[in-house]
Amino acid sequence: MSCTARRLYKHGMRILFTTVPVFGHFLPMTPLVDAARRAGHEVVVASGTDIEVEVKRLGVEFWRVGPTLAEAVAEHRVDEENLSPEERIAADVSAFFVPQARASAQDLVPRAVAWRPDLVVHEPSALAGGIAAAVTGARQVVHGLGMWPAGIWSIFAPGYTALCAEWSVADRYLDATYLDILPAGLQARPDFPEVLALRPAPPPSQVTTAPAIPDQYPNTVYLTLGTIFHEAADVFRAALDGLTSLPVNVFVTTGPNADPARVGEWPAHVQVTDFVPQELVLPHCRVAVHHGGAGSMLGALRHGLPQLILPRGADNFHNAALAESAGVALSLAPDEIGAQAVADAVTRLMTEPGFGERARRVSEDIAAMPGADEVLSQLTR
């Protein structure tokens, strides 16, 4: 019996999860992390310290590897203001994700070699995870975050190939197993030989009490700009001005550690806080207004909510186009965002029944997808 087989028999598998230090990249992975912990496997999550508290809340071991998000951004800042969506992604890859992966691999690979994982699971932009899998010989699994745009790997490939050469391993990224968290009707099959559907699910949370939801009006709208683009105070202001002109309650999250007071004073039918698990808010809402992050988009779709997307950067524009083409959303480009435009779009989403009907059909498709426990069983069988 091999050493690996003996370890599997006695202690389960060793599973290494890794991600860039961004909440929106880590949170979609947490159901699988939690499933692995509950199944009795040895689990480690490796990333920058930004997500350390969240990892430890799950009850698994954390490895500090690579820079924090602030350090990485300060070292490799990208000015995306006048770039197309494709140019934004290319700029992020070359100026942020590849340098971040190079720094992370320096910390991650030696620890992975010493620990000998059986399985390395990483989100698509955490390229250091692919290097760790190649060097250790572990099975590589790419955990999707949302849309896999056509041709996206051609943007990542040059930087990843260079990283592989630095570590003297072959570039076999696209030979990995891919976990697709989008329902089949929302995108074409990604460029991997083995694709497993995985139902997008909320992160495990110790918070179970719903926040105070305003109830002055029959309908409530949820507004968030996520955990990266929440600094756009002008967008918050325009969206709030538009929403408060409508007979709706508004629940706003300003982002982790962002002071809710910065959005100013608002009427009683507006509730503003920094962060709550969206699963506690979305069941009470009629429409979601957000930046176009995959977590926000899929969270709204899990509950069958139509949505207004105000894309800011990264994959936001691709997700907005995807949701619009599915007939479950409207979107406003950065230069179109204004109070009246927001009010008009939300009015359409609430009064034209097709948006809600299509969103509910997508929620049914999501509910039918395999959950984390079932997918973990396939990966560790």
Side-chain angles (χ1 to χ4, degrees):
M1 184 182 293
S2 70
C3 292
T4 298
R6 284 197 300 271
R7 189 169 74 221
L8 293 179
Y9 177 76
K10 295 177 70 173
H11 302 294
M13 298 185 85
R14 284 182 172 172
I15 306 178
L16 171 62
F17 292 84
T18 187
T19 173
V20 297
V22 176
F23 279 97
H25 287 230
F26 174 60
L27 294 181
M29 302 172 68
T30 56
L32 194 64
V33 173
D34 188 57
R37 178 194 62 80
R38 289 186 286 101
H41 299 293
E42 296 181 63
V43 181
V44 168
V45 175
S47 186
T49 56
D50 306 67
I51 66 168
E52 182 173 1
V53 172
E54 190 66 30
V55 172
K56 291 182 175 178
R57 189 176 291 127
L58 295 174
V60 300
E61 185 177 353
F62 178 75
W63 289 352
R64 300 180 183 182
V65 301
T68 66
L69 177 62
E71 291 168 344
V73 170
E75 184 73 17
H76 305 284
R77 183 173 296 278
V78 179
D79 183 3
E80 298 183 341
E81 184 175 352
N82 297 314
L83 302 180
S84 70
E86 290 74 19
E87 291 171 334
R88 290 169 188 259
I89 291 179
D92 284 336
V93 169
S94 62
F96 177 77
F97 289 117
V98 171
Q100 192 277 339
R102 180 171 285 110
S104 295
Q106 295 294 329
D107 296 333
L108 177 64
V109 174
R111 298 191 72 168
V113 168
W115 194 58
R116 294 186 303 127
D118 301 291
L119 194 64
V120 175
V121 183
H122 64 92
E123 45 87 2
S125 60
L127 303 178
I131 302 299
V135 171
T136 62
R139 180 180 180 182
Q140 181 183 1
V141 177
V142 178
H143 192 302
L145 299 178
M147 186 180 185
W148 181 272
I152 186 65
W153 184 244
S154 64
I155 299 175
F156 279 90
Y160 186 70
T161 299
L163 284 174
C164 288
E166 293 170 17
W167 287 94
S168 301
V169 295
D171 177 356
R172 302 193 62 181
Y173 187 100
L174 292 181
D175 291 336
T177 299
Y178 183 81
L179 305 183
D180 191 356
I181 65 172
L182 281 184
L186 285 190
Q187 78 168 17
R189 181 185 173 94
D191 303 324
F192 291 82
E194 183 180 23
V195 178
L196 302 179
L198 171 61
R199 182 171 65 245
S205 176
Q206 297 175 341
V207 180
T208 58
T209 303
I213 305 292
D215 60 2
Q216 180 172 333
Y217 298 104
N219 296 311
T220 298
V221 176
Y222 175 54
L223 171 62
T224 180
L225 293 184
T227 58
I228 294 294
F229 300 107
H230 58 278
E231 297 296 335
D234 57 330
V235 178
F236 262 125
R237 176 71 60 175
L240 273 172
D241 284 342
L243 293 175
T244 52
S245 72
L246 302 175
V248 297
N249 308 308
V250 186
F251 191 92
V252 185
T253 55
T254 57
N257 304 315
D259 184 4
R262 69 191 179 94
V263 301
E265 296 290 330
W266 296 98
H269 64 282
V270 177
Q271 170 77 348
V272 183
T273 188
D274 58 348
F275 178 81
V276 294
Q278 63 180 5
E279 290 301 300
L280 298 181
V281 179
L282 293 175
H284 304 279
C285 295
R286 176 80 180 277
V287 170
V289 180
H290 60 85
H291 60 299
S296 298
M297 178 182 74
L298 290 170
L301 288 175
R302 278 198 305 271
H303 292 276
L305 298 183
Q307 44 206 289
L308 171 61
I309 301 179
L310 312 173
R312 304 297 303 160
D315 62 347
N316 297 176
F317 293 89
H318 289 283
N319 289 333
L322 177 70
E324 278 202 288
S325 68
V328 299
L330 296 171
S331 71
L332 296 173
D335 60 354
E336 297 174 330
I337 296 173
Q340 189 60 53
V342 169
D344 291 345
V346 170
T347 299
R348 283 191 61 194
L349 292 169
M350 291 195 299
T351 58
E352 297 180 22
F355 291 107
E357 291 169 0
R358 289 184 289 268
R360 285 188 289 274
R361 286 199 293 270
V362 174
S363 74
E364 293 170 359
D365 293 340
I366 291 174
M369 296 169 70
D373 291 325
E374 182 179 345
V375 172
L376 178 71
S377 178
Q378 290 181 266
L379 295 175
T380 58
R381 187 172 299 152

